[in-house]
Amino acid sequence: MFNWEVAPSQALVIAHRGGGAEAVENSMQSFKQMQNNGFFYLETDAQLTADGQVILFHDSVLDRATTGSGKVSEHTWEQIQQVQNEVGEHPPLLAQVLQDFPQLVLNIDAKSDQVVEPLLAVISQYGAQDRVCLASFSERRLRRIARLNKGVSRSVGMGGMAVIVFAALFPLSLARRILYYAGFLGGEITALQVPEKYYGVPIATKRLLKVCHSLGWALQVWTVNDPAQMRKLLHLGVDALITDYPQVAKEQIEQYALNKV
């Protein structure tokens, strides 16, 4: 199981969609570019083709990011190979990325219920449990992942986030008790991945950070693209910035470290 760094000496940079603002999102080109630039933590997305292949692609439809059209789930892998993104690539197989980039740690958003079992099968086939963390907005989907495959690191869904944020309002001992009865203690949770705010309500707070660290979880914030917001979260002490602009985040982290000296 992969364990995120908790309270690292410097916040980690996690390249959202493979660094989607600095490269073509979720492409082999972007994975290679991120690795060459020293970014080894990537967030990406898993979809399932009509014939059961796991590809790394954000949208449920092909229209926005490729020359294709229609639902990914209604296309076979052979058909997916015929569409192209803006650099002339088709969406990659997860298996190919795990094989070609053994140094990368992938935070993979399971985009549908249907992709869960094939996704776990590919991770197992390539022995990638120690370099993969699974994510989803769906708490139910993540709990199913935990039931199906012990030993794969995971984060928490939006429903779980609400419970944990609520628990963080109370003293630590009571917060832990709430989370115990809600089923969040133990298991494969290694990170809480949250927005800084949700509908104007602050989510990433010192209290939440304290609860996460007491449980051995990293607090990672998405999707942070503004330098001022990055500096604010670095001052808070978050463990990672999930960003479309990894190079910008790296520069902000380095500058913040210099200012602390």
Side-chain angles (χ1 to χ4, degrees), residues 17-142:
R17 302 189 195 177
E22 296 179 356
V24 176
E25 67 178 59
N26 289 333
S27 65
M28 294 296 280
Q29 182 199 65
S30 69
F31 299 135
K32 183 177 181 180
Q33 180 177 323
M34 290 302 110
Q35 180 173 272
N36 289 345
N37 290 344
F39 300 108
F40 295 98
Y41 300 98
L42 273 62
E43 189 273 348
T44 186
D45 310 276
Q47 301 277 6
L48 193 69
T49 67
D51 53 346
Q53 296 297 310
V54 181
I55 66 170
L56 299 183
F57 194 75
H58 179 270
D59 299 358
S60 61
V61 295
L62 295 165
D63 303 61
R64 177 185 64 86
T66 77
T67 56
S69 181
K71 294 181 179 179
V72 172
S73 61
E74 295 177 352
H75 289 70
T76 65
W77 170 235
E78 183 177 358
Q79 291 170 325
I80 292 293
Q81 292 178 83
Q82 305 309 309
V83 306
Q84 296 182 345
N85 60 26
E86 61 187 89
V87 290
E89 295 181 2
H90 58 71
L93 289 170
L94 169 60
Q96 190 69 53
V97 172
L98 291 176
Q99 177 178 297
D100 289 2
F101 300 99
Q103 291 182 288
L104 295 182
V105 172
L106 301 179
N107 189 85
I108 305 175
D109 187 345
K111 286 295 188 180
S112 68
D113 291 336
Q114 291 72 29
V115 80
V116 166
E117 291 189 50
L119 172 60
L120 290 170
V122 174
I123 293 169
S124 178
Q125 178 185 351
Y126 284 86
Q129 294 90 337
D130 62 347
R131 56 191 179 101
V132 166
C133 179
L134 298 182
S136 173
F137 283 140
S138 170
E139 185 62 33
R140 177 182 54 81
R141 190 175 302 151
L142 286 170

Side-chain angles (χ1 to χ4, degrees), residues 6 9 12 18 49-50 90 118 131 159 182 256:
V6 175
S9 57
L12 303 179
T49 67
H90 58 71
R131 56 191 179 101
Y256 180 77

